[in-house]
Amino acid sequence: MINIGIIGCGRIAQVRHIPEYDKNQDARIYGVYDINEKRAKEVAEKYHAIPYKSYEEMLADSAIDAVSICTANYSHCEISVKALTAGKHVLCEKPMAVTYEECQAMVEAAKKSGKYLMICQQERLLPVHMKAKELLQQGSIGKILSFRTNFRHSGPETWTIDQDKVWFFDKKSAAFGAMADLGIHKADLIHYLLDDTIKSAMAVTGALDKKNPDGTPISVDDNAICIYRTEKGILGTMEVSWTCYGQEDKSTVLYGTQGCLKINSDTKYPLILEKRSGERIYYNMDDYKGHRNGTGMVDTWIQCLKTKTPPEISGESSFESMKAVFAALESAEKGCLISVNNLEEKLDQ
Ligand SMILES: NC(=O)c1ccc[n+]([C@@H]2O[C@H](COP(=O)([O-])OP(=O)(O)OC[C@H]3O[C@@H](n4cnc5c(N)ncnc54)[C@H](O)[C@@H]3O)[C@@H](O)[C@H]2O)c1
């Protein structure tokens, strides 16, 4: 049995991590912690777990094998590094951390400790994305030339557990807005689908609609539009938004020399392959339903721990995706194209 500590007992912990651990036969929710003591106690009672008084107390408990970090973005690095140093395996929510240096520190702490660091980039585990990758690898649309990927929803204020004070809108707690909150999922998805790495970005961001309680615009972006170029020379756009007050848009379309592949572009068919010959193949992903425990994230993580297999959705691979986000944010700030290599060189100086 793998003993799990949950750090941060808010929405994502209660909707995904905890139920997925609860259903996994090899995992036990051993202890929980939240800065909101009442919340931690309630969750602890429900799952017969220990409510720790601090996360340090949890990390000092030798019974804990691994932790899930489900706190606000600003704290991911500090808690991850301390947990890894204390000899715990870490599953950390996205975005991995809030600066380039913090991401580096997490990757180094994992290497030094010999413990696993996995980041919740669950888009890679969605059946529709796995099937799309399989088709792309089979050359179903030939050589990939370009893509467009979107993630638009109505914003985090109706999701977060503390809706009277939305930390997602506060630069100190969140560091980022929609560009990173949603954009990290899409940059990571593009890396996964294309087996490629984003190398430069040009972006515009804006705080267009969301407001603080006093009516002033929020301190992070609620919309971002971005152009990417990958290492292999593929060009693409990414549009992310917290102000889509219609149906959520999570579509991705890949354009190749022999056709295109449409993911979540059609309400009836999650995956459509359009061949250059005119043939259209519709994939219905129902086959995959019923075999999954939630997002599959926790099962994948526990399987890694059980079989002592390093996670594929590692700190290193998530850091590669975060670099695209950092380049896009810097581009939006400076109004010019930013290459990922520039970010790396700047830090080496
Ligand atoms: N993988 C995904 O698709 C996905 C979806 C939603 C949220 N998230 C991420 O999960 C994380 C948590 O988001 P959420 O939606 O659960 O937010 P939330 O506001 O619902 O919950 C956050 C919880 O963390 C607690 N907390 C905050 N800082 C803490 C700290 N330093 N120590 C201990 N507890 C702390 C809060 O009291 C609260 O209970 C964020 O990083 C967010 O980006 C990921």
Side-chain angles (χ1 to χ4, degrees), residues 296-315:
M297 179 61 64
V298 160
D299 283 359
T300 304
W301 170 235
I302 293 297
Q303 188 64 12
C304 290
L305 299 182
K306 204 176 138 190
T307 58
K308 299 190 172 30
T309 310
E312 275 180 33
I313 314 179
S314 62

Side-chain angles (χ1 to χ4, degrees), residues 96-295:
M96 163 174 193
V98 303
T99 64
Y100 192 101
E101 293 88 335
E102 280 193 358
C103 294
Q104 253 175 343
M106 286 168 70
V107 169
E108 273 158 28
K111 263 192 211 146
K112 217 165 145 188
S113 67
K115 297 291 162 185
Y116 294 158
L117 170 63
M118 177 162 150
I119 311 295
C120 296
Q121 303 293 169
Q122 78 270 4
E123 296 292 306
R124 298 193 215 177
L125 299 173
L126 285 180
V128 71
H129 292 149
M130 291 162 92
K131 182 69 189 170
K133 183 169 172 117
E134 197 183 297
L135 292 170
L136 293 171
Q137 283 178 333
Q138 288 163 2
S140 60
I141 61 165
K143 180 174 181 267
I144 301 163
L145 304 172
S146 63
F147 64 85
R148 74 164 173 74
T149 188
N150 294 348
F151 197 168
R152 289 191 164 97
H153 64 46
S154 61
E157 67 271 36
T158 51
W159 157 273
T160 176
I161 203 154
D162 294 311
Q163 295 180 5
D164 50 337
K165 196 168 179 282
V166 182
W167 68 263
F168 283 90
F169 292 167
D170 169 32
K171 202 165 178 128
K172 272 201 206 121
S173 301
F176 312 116
M179 174 63 224
D181 181 51
L182 305 181
I184 184 55
H185 278 309
K186 304 312 280 200
D188 193 73
L189 175 64
I190 289 301
H191 284 181
Y192 167 76
L193 289 176
L194 304 185
D195 268 329
D196 198 357
T197 313
I198 293 165
K199 278 294 162 194
S200 59
M202 180 110 184
V204 286
T205 59
L208 307 181
D209 187 52
K210 300 294 183 196
K211 301 280 186 289
N212 295 312
D214 65 2
T216 55
I218 58 170
S219 52
V220 293
D221 62 87
D222 58 20
N223 276 273
I225 298 180
C226 190
I227 303 169
Y228 286 132
R229 184 195 292 274
T230 71
E231 183 130 51
K232 292 179 191 162
I234 298 168
L235 303 180
T237 60
M238 182 186 86
E239 297 180 18
V240 292
S241 173
W242 279 343
T243 63
C244 167
Y245 303 120
Q247 196 180 26
E248 181 180 80
D249 174 10
K250 282 189 78 177
S251 61
T252 297
V253 184
L254 303 134
Y255 302 91
T257 52
Q258 299 305 320
C260 62
L261 192 60
K262 297 184 167 172
I263 306 168
N264 292 328
S265 293
D266 182 287
T267 46
K268 199 160 170 216
Y269 295 100
L271 191 60
I272 304 172
L273 172 60
E274 291 178 354
K275 298 267 201 186
R276 195 168 181 168
S277 61
E279 185 190 3
R280 288 185 119 211
I281 306 170
Y282 299 88
Y283 294 88
N284 178 334
M285 304 307 296
D286 282 351
D287 296 357
Y288 283 90
K289 286 182 189 154
H291 304 296
R292 285 165 62 83
N293 172 12
T295 59

